[in-house]
């Protein structure tokens, strides 16, 4: 079940949660041929849009987050909490669920 909100800017992740927008796969080949949507797979790559302040350890100290706003990351194929804004869908993941950061 997804949650519908009006503006993605009004969403602030809590604790160790990360707001990610999945990057859409190309629907056009290098030679210019358009692919039908049914043949295009969903990528496991996303862009970090917002990051929570970090989880608390047993002593009450904030643990640093592994990603920052603007990072490109690898995310699990399934999981996360979907958030729908208009026609676009975003996902909230825990920092520990992010598989890797893509360095350019």
């Amino acid at each position: 079940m997804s949650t519908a909100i009006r503006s993605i800017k009004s969403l602030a992740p809590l604790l160790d949660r990360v707001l990610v927008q999945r990057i859409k796969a190309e629907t056009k080949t290098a030679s210019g041929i358009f692919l039908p949507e049914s043949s295009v797979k969903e990528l496991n790559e996303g862009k970090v849009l917002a990051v929570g302040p970090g989880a608390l350890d047993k002593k009450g100290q904030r643990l640093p987050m592994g990603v920052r706003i603007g990072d490109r990351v690898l995310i699990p194929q399934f999981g996360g909490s979907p958030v729908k804004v208009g026609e676009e869908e975003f996902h909230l993941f825990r920092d520990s669920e992010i598989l890797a950061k893509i360095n350019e």
Side-chain angles (χ1 to χ4, degrees), residues 22-44:
R22 223 179 256 280
I23 295 175
K24 294 186 171 110
E26 291 291 325
T27 58
K28 186 171 143 182
T29 64
S31 60
I33 298 171
F34 286 95
L35 302 170
E37 285 188 31
S38 60
S39 70
V40 177
K41 287 188 172 185
E42 206 172 59
L43 294 179
N44 287 5

Side-chain angles (χ1 to χ4, degrees), residues 4-93:
I5 59 174
R6 291 187 178 170
S7 170
I8 199 64
K9 292 184 181 195
S10 66
L11 188 67
L14 299 175
L15 297 174
D16 65 337
R17 290 190 176 70
V18 179
L19 181 66
V20 176
Q21 182 176 25
R22 223 179 256 280
I23 295 175
K24 294 186 171 110
E26 291 291 325
T27 58
K28 186 171 143 182
T29 64
S31 60
I33 298 171
F34 286 95
L35 302 170
E37 285 188 31
S38 60
S39 70
V40 177
K41 287 188 172 185
E42 206 172 59
L43 294 179
N44 287 5
E45 186 178 328
K47 182 178 178 183
V48 176
L49 301 178
V51 177
L56 298 173
D57 65 8
K58 292 179 181 179
K59 295 179 182 178
Q61 301 293 319
R62 288 257 180 231
L63 298 172
M65 296 292 283
V67 295
R68 294 185 178 146
I69 295 173
D71 284 350
R72 286 180 46 217
V73 293
L74 287 178
I75 53 178
Q77 185 70 31
F78 301 103
S81 299
V83 179
K84 196 159 183 138
V85 178
E87 293 299 312
E88 292 196 66
E89 191 169 291
F90 303 89
H91 295 273
L92 276 169
F93 290 98

